[in-house]
Amino acid sequence: RKEVEQDPGPFNVPEGATVAFNCTYSNSASQSFFWYRQDCRKEPKLLMSVYSSGNEDGRFTAQLNRASQYISLLIRDSKLSDSATYLCVVIGSSGTYKYIFGTGTRLKVLA
Amino acid sequence: GAGVSQTPSNKVTEKGKYVELRCDPISGHTALYWYRQSLGQGPEFLIYFQGTGAADDSGLPNDRFFAVRPEGSVSTLKIQRTERGDSAVYLCASSLNGPTDTQYFGPGTRLTVL
């Protein structure tokens, strides 16, 4: 089993739709979690960190469920410009600080 | 300010050749990371430098891969006897103090081994 798993998609949604992605992780001692966005043939860019209490940044909401070992990303009122691959990142337990990336979930927002 | 830069942006080489990939981190960032990203996959960790020393090189796939950061700034990833399976995008990232800080990625070097 991979350490971090994501549904690769693609998720095709109309403009204005709400879409959610999940990401599961296998190491229950994982400490930190992030969502990165990657446009085609570009580098990953930090979208948001994921906090235990959940956090929101505009149309984006991230949540962490430690009991079930997954994080989620919710995008409301999707824009065409949201089309990208969304990468889940988990930092492992103390003593190792490697970023472990999921394979990414591809989102296409359609006009 | 300037972000992470990587050169070359593209590198085509033949099987068996030696290549060097360069990364110039954000000024003042003490931590530097190398990743490899294959098509349809997320970036895969290779090595992490804190200052001049490799703090974690557990992701290097074999001894054909080596990286240095002699002055704690620019880093070079070196691949000997390249194989077709080494073809990927090699991404460099840097962070201010260490792995708990946000990592900022460079545009990557696309390596193609023929």
Side-chain angles (χ1 to χ4, degrees):
Chain A
R1 182 186 173 190
K2 288 185 179 180
E3 290 186 77
V4 179
E5 295 202 66
Q6 294 182 254
D7 181 341
F11 284 58
N12 296 323
V13 302
E15 264 189 296
T18 295
V19 61
F21 314 131
N22 280 348
C23 166
T24 59
Y25 60 94
S26 60
N27 186 346
S28 60
S30 296
Q31 299 292 309
S32 302
F33 310 87
F34 306 91
W35 284 102
Y36 271 72
R37 170 191 169 132
Q38 186 171 29
D39 292 291
C40 188
R41 299 178 81 88
K42 298 287 189 181
E43 70 272 25
K45 292 185 179 178
L46 179 66
L47 179 66
M48 58 199 303
S49 302
V50 185
Y51 302 121
S52 297
S53 55
N55 47 300
E56 190 173 305
D57 182 2
R59 297 181 294 108
F60 298 83
T61 300
Q63 292 194 313
L64 167 64
N65 186 317
R66 285 196 182 272
S68 300
Q69 294 180 210
Y70 73 86
I71 66 172
S72 64
L73 178 68
L74 180 80
I75 306 175
R76 289 182 298 278
D77 188 23
S78 300
K79 311 291 184 191
L80 293 176
S81 57
D82 294 334
S83 298
T85 295
Y86 291 85
L87 294 160
C88 165
V89 181
V90 174
I91 295 183
S93 54
S94 61
T96 172
Y97 294 106
K98 289 188 288 189
Y99 268 28
I100 303 170
F101 282 83
T103 56
T105 296
R106 194 169 161 207
L107 172 66
K108 288 185 179 179
V109 181
L110 308 172
Chain B
V4 178
S5 61
Q6 293 186 245
T7 55
S9 55
N10 282 282
K11 176 70 178 178
V12 180
T13 191
E14 294 179 343
K15 181 175 178 293
K17 299 289 189 182
Y18 168 83
V19 295
E20 289 189 354
L21 312 179
R22 176 188 166 110
C23 172
D24 211 326
I26 293 171
S27 178
H29 279 197
T30 63
L32 184 145
Y33 317 82
W34 283 99
Y35 294 84
R36 176 169 70 174
Q37 186 173 25
S38 300
L39 194 62
Q41 301 296 314
E44 174 192 17
F45 171 83
L46 296 177
I47 186 169
Y48 150 51
F49 285 91
Q50 186 62 52
T52 60
D56 184 347
D57 64 357
S58 61
L60 294 177
N62 52 59
D63 61 6
R64 295 187 298 106
F65 289 74
F66 189 71
V68 295
R69 195 185 185 201
E71 297 178 359
S73 179
V74 171
S75 176
T76 305
L77 179 65
K78 308 180 181 193
I79 311 175
Q80 298 178 319
R81 305 183 303 280
T82 51
E83 299 178 356
R84 292 195 180 88
D86 298 335
S87 297
V89 176
Y90 288 81
L91 292 162
C92 175
S94 71
S95 66
L96 184 59
N97 292 312
T100 55
D101 294 326
T102 299
Q103 293 186 23
Y104 297 91
F105 284 80
T109 294
R110 184 172 299 274
L111 176 66
T112 303
V113 182
L114 301 176

